[in-house]
Each structure stands twice: as C-alpha cells, then as structure tokens.
Amino acid sequence: MNTFRPEIFFEDIVGQDYAINLLTNAIKKKKIAPAYLFIGPEGVGIKLTALRFLEAFINTNCTKRDIRKRLENRNHQDLLWIEPGYLHQGKVIPKSIAHKEKINQRAIAQIRLDQIKSINNFLSKKPLETSLGMVLIEGVETMNESAANALLKTLEEPNNGIFILITDRAETLLNTIRSRCQQINFNRLSNDYIREIFHNHSRTLKIEESINNYKEELIALANGSPGAVKKHI
C-alpha cells in the first residue's frame, strides 16, 4: 500500500491551505502540470512552498534525505533557479547576491534572454535524482521582451521539465505564458498567522529582540506579509 504523504513536506507553511491542497493533490494523483504560475505578494511563503513542492516531487523518485538542504541552498543538480539580476562589469549578478554583497544597483533587476536560453541546455541533460529537470523562475514579471518570447517558446515544448514561475504581478505577463501554466494564488496572511510565524521563527530570522519589543507594531507593518518585516529591522 502506498503510504507516501506529500502534505508532511508543507508542515512549516501557514495560511496557504488553498495552494498546498492543490499541490499535494497533484502529487498524490501523479498529475503534475508541466508549468505552474505561483501568484502572490512577496514574503508570504511562496518560495518556501515551491521548495517544499519540489522536495515532495523528488521524494517520489528517490530516498536521499539531504534533499531539503540542497534545494534551499540552490545547489541541487536537478534544479535551475533563475532570478532577476543586475548587469555589473559585463556580468549578470543575481539580485540576491547583489544585495548580499552590496553591489551598486542603479538599474532595475531584470531576467535576460541568456538566462532563459540556459533552460534548454539544462533540460537537455538527464536528471540524476528525479524524472524531470526542475526550473524555478522568480520575479518572472521582470523579463525583458526577448526573454519573455523565448520563455513562451520553451513552455510550448517543455522538453522533459517542470516549471515554477513566481510573480506578484501576473497581469504584466504575456497572456500566452499565463495560459500555459496552472495558476496557483497565494494570499496575504492574517495577523494571527503572522503572530504564529513570529513566535516560531523569531530566533531563526535573528529578529527575536525586535519581535518581542515591537510585536504588534511589526504585525501592522507587515500588512499580511511577514517576510516584508525583516526589511524594516
């Protein structure tokens, strides 16, 4: 009897029952869509949900137990993670690295054509631990026109891959891109959910003192997005 329970991978995510139910049912029924469009405000658990979904997907194919850590560190060999970047000294520097290294960011971060072109090369290689190569694109609304057209062509012929596109502005995407994805909406969290997250993760987020001293003020500041709070501390 199959005892695989994909819902256990999402236990650290709160307030997104709608999205999690859709994803766990897809895994249980083995009806994974070629492409998903995760839509919602930043800081409400969208990227974490994407990682947990991919972890559950991999675990249907493999029994290695360090999958979560490798996915979170973005060094799993079957995952291609694309994010907006800045052009710096002739190279595209991913947004997360630019912020970490405090690289001067005068222009708007973008996803460029070369980044989308790299998908086909990635998917041409046989995955090592799962049945499909996994492509996650965050900030997909920042694609320039040529990148968007290239992505559309790739989605028309998925080439043995599973795609997760993340955006907070789905209305800016090409209709043809949206139509090729299963859209999953994420909502802003209630104050009760935010209190729960603060209680469970304040030490991990290294904001324990601020949380304890200004909890209600920070909850109001969050406006339904606990991830936004850290930017103000």
Side-chain angles (χ1 to χ4, degrees):
M1 184 175 67
N2 184 8
T3 59
F4 182 72
R5 295 176 56 242
E7 58 269 18
I8 67 175
F9 295 92
F10 300 90
E11 288 179 342
D12 57 345
I13 299 168
V14 299
Q16 302 297 351
D17 293 348
Y18 170 79
I20 291 171
N21 286 338
L22 288 176
L23 295 172
T24 54
N25 284 334
I27 295 171
K28 287 177 180 178
K29 296 177 182 179
K30 297 183 179 180
K31 293 184 177 180
I32 306 294
Y36 291 89
L37 180 61
F38 286 11
I39 305 168
E42 184 178 358
V44 298
I46 298 179
K47 283 189 282 189
L48 184 61
T49 301
L51 288 169
R52 299 297 182 257
F53 175 60
L54 294 177
E55 182 186 1
F57 172 69
I58 294 171
N59 271 279
T60 65
N61 296 273
C62 144
T63 58
K64 294 185 179 180
R65 305 313 305 170
D66 63 340
I67 291 171
R68 174 168 294 191
K69 184 176 181 180
R70 285 187 286 143
L71 287 173
E72 289 178 346
N73 291 337
R74 307 187 188 186
N75 63 2
H76 193 287
Q77 64 270 22
D78 296 332
L79 171 65
L80 175 63
W81 189 303
I82 294 175
E83 64 176 301
Y86 302 94
L87 194 60
H88 179 72
Q89 296 180 351
K91 297 180 180 180
V92 176
I93 307 297
K95 186 177 180 179
S96 60
I97 295 177
H99 288 175
K100 183 178 180 180
E101 298 182 358
K102 298 182 180 179
I103 293 173
N104 189 16
Q105 305 135 23
R106 294 181 179 176
I108 297 174
Q110 276 192 333
I111 292 174
R112 293 168 168 80
L113 176 60
D114 286 347
Q115 292 173 279
I116 300 301
K117 283 184 174 180
S118 70
I119 295 173
N120 289 332
N121 180 58
F122 172 76
L123 292 179
S124 69
K125 301 172 184 177
K126 185 178 179 180
L128 297 179
E129 289 187 354
T130 188
S131 57
L132 298 170
M134 303 171 295
V135 179
L136 191 154
I137 308 177
E138 63 171 292
V140 70
E141 75 282 351
T142 68
M143 290 185 298
N144 58 30
E145 183 177 358
S146 57
N149 289 329
L151 178 61
L152 175 59
K153 184 176 181 180
T154 300
L155 291 176
E156 288 172 345
E157 302 172 4
N159 191 24
N160 206 32
I162 175 174
F163 289 78
I164 298 178
L165 316 182
I166 297 176
T167 183
D168 61 356
R169 287 182 284 141
E171 70 279 1
T172 68
L173 300 178
L174 295 175
N175 289 333
T176 43
I177 288 179
R178 297 206 306 267
S179 68
R180 283 167 173 78
C181 302
Q182 180 176 346
Q183 298 185 31
I184 297 184
N185 294 303
F186 291 75
N187 50 270
R188 292 187 179 275
L189 303 183
S190 69
N191 287 349
D192 286 340
Y193 279 132
I194 295 176
R195 288 188 185 93
E196 179 181 342
I197 291 170
F198 284 174
H199 175 75
N200 293 336
H201 300 292
S202 59
R203 291 186 179 182
T204 303
L205 295 172
K206 298 179 181 179
I207 55 176
E208 185 175 16
E209 183 177 350
S210 295
I211 291 295
N212 291 335
N213 293 337
Y214 305 103
K215 181 181 291 184
E216 294 307 314
E217 290 88 343
L218 291 173
I219 288 172
L221 185 64
N223 189 28
S225 172
V229 171
K230 197 173 181 183
K231 297 179 181 179
H232 299 279
I233 298 175

